[in-house]
């Protein structure tokens, strides 16, 4: 299997979108995963505050293999990193800069994507070994803020914008220097059909033309 960071780089370069499928259940996750991949999204995050998230990660990883990079979101402690790795997850996404979680993620050979909001947090995450940065919540960070952050952050570190993102919101962030987006409620909500998820995913993928 391709290394986790190499897989992330390959998938992100083609489609810089991360599907955040909070609330998904193991019995529906494979159909949702198929819909996302068919629409063009190749990085999928199952938040750990979803029902039985490790089972969902395991099913997605087994079904999609190298066709997608599967991982966990809302990872708050080191123990969860090992559990996600055992389930086949390869990217660890957190809402905060927890240097122990970042270090454990890197040591396990997984992709570290911590959430940050200030430059100080960003540099602390990078010093701990983070591979990319998740600016969260975007509702409180305008494109002007992103532009200011990009002026000081290393150019080779991807900055992914998360929080309330819709297809029309993407262009201003791209213009400010964002590299990609994490997509939550505007992409997936529990109870939606795979067809509905696919339609919403295609709208986001189409909006990438603004890059």
């Amino acid at each position: 299997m391709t290394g986790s960071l190499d897989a992330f780089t390959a998938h992100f370069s083609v489609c810089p979108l991360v599907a955040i499928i909070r609330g998904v259940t193991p019995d529906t996750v494979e159909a949702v995963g198929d819909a996302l991949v068919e629409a063009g999204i190749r990085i999928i995050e199952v938040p750990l505050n979803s029902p039985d998230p490790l089972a969902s990660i395991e099913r997605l990883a087994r079904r999609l293999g190298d066709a997608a990079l599967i991982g966990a979101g809302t990872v708050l402690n080191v123990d969860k990193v090992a559990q996600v790795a055992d389930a086949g997850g390869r990217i660890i996404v957190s809402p905060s800069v927890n240097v122990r979680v970042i270090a454990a993620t890197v040591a396990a050979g997984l992709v570290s994507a911590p959430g940050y909001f200030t430059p100080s947090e960003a540099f602390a995450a990078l010093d701990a070994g983070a591979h990319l940065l998740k600016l969260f919540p975007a509702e409180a960070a305008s494109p002007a803020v992103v532009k200011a952050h990009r002026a000081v952050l290393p150019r080779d570190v991807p900055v992914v914008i998360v929080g309330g993102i819709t297809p029309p919101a993407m262009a201003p962030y791209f213009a400010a220097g964002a590299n990609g987006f994490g997509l939550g409620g505007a992409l997936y909500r529990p109870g939606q059909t795979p067809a509905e998820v696919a339609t919403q995913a295609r709208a986001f993928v189409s909006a990438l033309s603004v890059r």
Side-chain angles (χ1 to χ4, degrees):
M1 182 175 283
T2 306
S4 297
L5 185 56
D6 288 342
F8 170 82
T9 300
H11 290 313
F12 192 77
S13 65
V14 174
C15 180
L17 303 175
V18 179
I20 303 168
I21 52 175
R22 189 180 307 278
V24 74
T25 58
D27 61 331
T28 62
V29 72
E30 290 171 302
V32 171
D34 287 345
L36 291 168
V37 169
E38 289 168 8
I41 296 178
R42 298 289 191 273
I43 304 173
I44 304 173
E45 166 194 332
V46 178
L48 291 185
N49 55 3
S50 302
D52 203 356
L54 295 174
S56 290
I57 291 169
E58 184 174 8
R59 290 190 183 194
L60 273 183
R62 183 174 59 245
R63 183 175 185 85
L64 298 176
D66 282 338
L69 185 75
I70 310 303
T74 319
V75 181
L76 303 178
N77 60 66
V78 170
D79 291 343
K80 294 300 183 183
V81 174
Q83 293 174 18
V84 171
D86 288 343
R90 297 196 283 167
I91 181 169
I92 299 293
V93 185
S94 301
S96 63
V97 177
N98 183 322
V99 296
R100 289 170 295 181
V101 169
I102 295 169
T105 300
V106 174
L110 309 182
V111 178
S112 173
Y116 87 101
F117 195 71
T118 68
S120 294
E121 291 175 340
F123 283 107
L126 295 176
D127 286 345
H131 298 107
L132 63 142
L133 298 169
K134 180 185 84 169
L135 180 58
F136 171 82
E139 292 94 336
S142 68
V145 170
V146 174
K147 184 176 180 179
H149 287 191
R150 283 269 55 150
V152 296
L153 293 174
R155 300 304 300 178
D156 62 342
V157 175
V159 174
V160 177
I161 312 301
V162 180
I165 296 299
T166 61
M170 292 165 60
Y173 282 106
F174 271 135
N179 300 101
F181 300 90
L183 312 175
L187 174 68
Y188 171 81
R189 292 184 185 276
Q192 289 180 324
T193 67
E196 290 171 330
V197 175
T199 296
Q200 289 156 189
R202 284 192 290 269
F204 279 103
V205 172
S206 295
L208 292 174
S209 62
V210 301
R211 284 187 292 174

